Amino acid sequence: MKPVSPAPALPSLQARLIARGLRRLIKPRRLQPADIPMLRSLTLALTRAGIPRNLRLERINSPRGEWLWPENPRQPARRGRALLYLHGGGYICGAPRSHRALTTRLAQTLNIPVFALDYRLAPEHPFPAALDDAEAAWQWLLHRHALRADRIYLAGDSAGGGLALALLLRLKQKALPMPAAAALFSPWADLAMSGASYRENIQHCAWFMPAQVRLAARLYAGAMAMSDPFLSPLHGDLHGLPPLILHVSDSELLRDDTLALADKARQAGVMVQCKEWHGLPHAWPNFVGLMPEADLCLAETCKALATI
């Protein structure tokens, strides 16, 4: 895997404006469990995106989610390839619909079908519900769609990135086939919040305060220890994982989740591409089409995946 290009030195005007809006709309909220329905509605309202003409949407009931099928007669989709996408949202909000800007861009650029899983959310469905749903979706892709594991990509952002890592650890534990590679955007890999960035970036992070992250972790983890590897994959054995493509911003609370993950994975012999961007909001690829850094991040990710 070739090294990635350096990140732009300064955030774009669009990135700065979006970060300013997040600081005013999301970060000041003192999140309580009773606020979760409002947060879910707000997330869907902020991230609403349509389906491009060259993609076909197919909703699936079991496993619950949606397929995005490329339909470009001049450029037939790459046969036998697919991508499983796990959305972010702190395990308490988010849905395939809230991440369509990102998933449709992946489907268009890679020219392969993308299945976005609508896994169960906490607090109604705490751990291991999301992980069980991810494993079921993986098995469904292999057996119902007769896809080869090494021709499927795995991707996710934030909690979805952490869930993707947890899925890899479970597949390894059960000696099941692994995907070709995993692309993770600001993955939440450490619910124990042990990295220094949870203290150093309190003022810099546009999205969260530590208390908000801690509440989401508690609602998902339930009685489980936060350091359990299937909750916090950073604390797991990373030997034998497929190639990882990682993106994170230096201003995030979750910065050290990614940087520590990259270091530990390399030490375990995993092929890793890790790019640290400057001054961008958490999981910024969700703003594709609105922020040039999001467009560039997804373009680089798709280029890297296409070589695997």
Side-chain angles (χ1 to χ4, degrees):
M1 299 172 71
K2 297 181 180 179
V4 295
S5 58
L10 294 173
S12 64
L13 174 61
Q14 296 94 318
R16 297 196 300 272
L17 290 174
I18 289 171
R20 183 181 300 174
L22 293 171
R23 289 179 187 278
R24 294 179 177 179
L25 188 62
I26 302 294
K27 189 171 182 177
R29 295 181 179 272
R30 294 189 176 184
L31 184 63
Q32 300 295 329
D35 298 327
I36 290 175
M38 173 275 299
L39 183 64
R40 291 172 179 171
S41 298
L42 182 60
T43 300
L44 290 172
L46 287 173
T47 55
R48 185 173 298 171
I51 305 296
R53 292 182 179 180
N54 61 350
L55 294 179
R56 174 172 58 88
L57 172 68
E58 179 188 2
R59 293 186 176 88
I60 303 295
N61 292 323
S62 182
R64 193 172 59 190
E66 60 185 38
W67 275 113
L68 296 164
W69 296 95
E71 292 190 328
N72 186 347
R74 297 183 179 180
Q75 187 181 15
R78 296 163 64 196
R79 292 185 178 274
R81 290 279 186 182
L83 185 146
L84 172 60
Y85 195 84
L86 304 175
H87 67 78
Y91 296 107
I92 60 174
C93 66
R97 185 157 59 97
S98 67
H99 284 63
R100 278 186 190 160
L102 196 161
T103 54
T104 56
R105 181 65 64 90
L106 289 173
Q108 287 178 308
T109 307
L110 288 168
N111 198 32
I112 63 174
V114 170
F115 182 70
L117 176 66
D118 191 7
Y119 57 85
R120 289 171 291 171
L121 300 175
E124 299 93 333
H125 305 284
F127 176 85
L131 181 54
D132 290 343
D133 290 353
E135 182 187 356
W138 177 254
Q139 298 279 25
W140 175 75
L141 289 173
L142 294 184
H143 301 298
R144 175 66 176 82
H145 287 270
L147 292 168
R148 279 175 38 187
D150 63 358
R151 295 180 66 79
I152 304 174
Y153 304 123
L154 182 62
D157 67 288
S158 192
L163 181 58
L165 289 164
L167 174 60
L168 293 177
L169 293 181
R170 180 175 277 191
L171 295 177
K172 185 179 76 165
Q173 181 191 58
K174 295 186 175 184
L176 295 173
M178 293 274 194
L184 310 176
F185 310 109
S186 308
W188 192 17
D190 183 15
L191 273 64
M193 300 173 62
S194 57
S197 57
Y198 286 97
R199 300 181 299 277
E200 296 173 353
N201 281 343
I202 291 175
Q203 299 302 319
H204 302 299
C205 182
W207 271 104
F208 311 119
M209 293 295 287
Q212 295 164 322
V213 180
R214 194 172 296 112
L215 174 63
R218 178 171 60 81
L219 292 175
Y220 177 58
M224 295 291 293
M226 295 297 181
S227 59
D228 185 288
F230 292 110
L231 282 170
S232 298
L234 177 61
H235 300 284
D237 179 3
L238 305 182
H239 289 85
L241 297 194
L244 300 178
I245 300 165
L246 308 175
H247 292 273
V248 72
S249 171
D250 61 0
S251 60
E252 299 187 48
L253 281 185
L254 276 65
R255 177 198 67 198
D256 289 353
D257 286 42
T258 297
L259 299 184
L261 173 70
D263 289 343
K264 186 173 180 179
R266 289 190 181 108
Q267 293 171 15
V270 179
M271 297 178 63
V272 178
Q273 286 188 14
C274 181
K275 183 167 181 175
E276 185 177 8
W277 299 68
H278 176 60
L280 301 181
H282 172 68
W284 71 95
N286 283 292
F287 296 103
V288 62
L290 299 174
M291 185 191 298
E293 293 92 342
D295 295 351
L296 179 58
C297 180
L298 290 184
E300 291 184 358
T301 298
C302 290
K303 184 176 180 181
L305 286 174
T307 65
I308 298 172

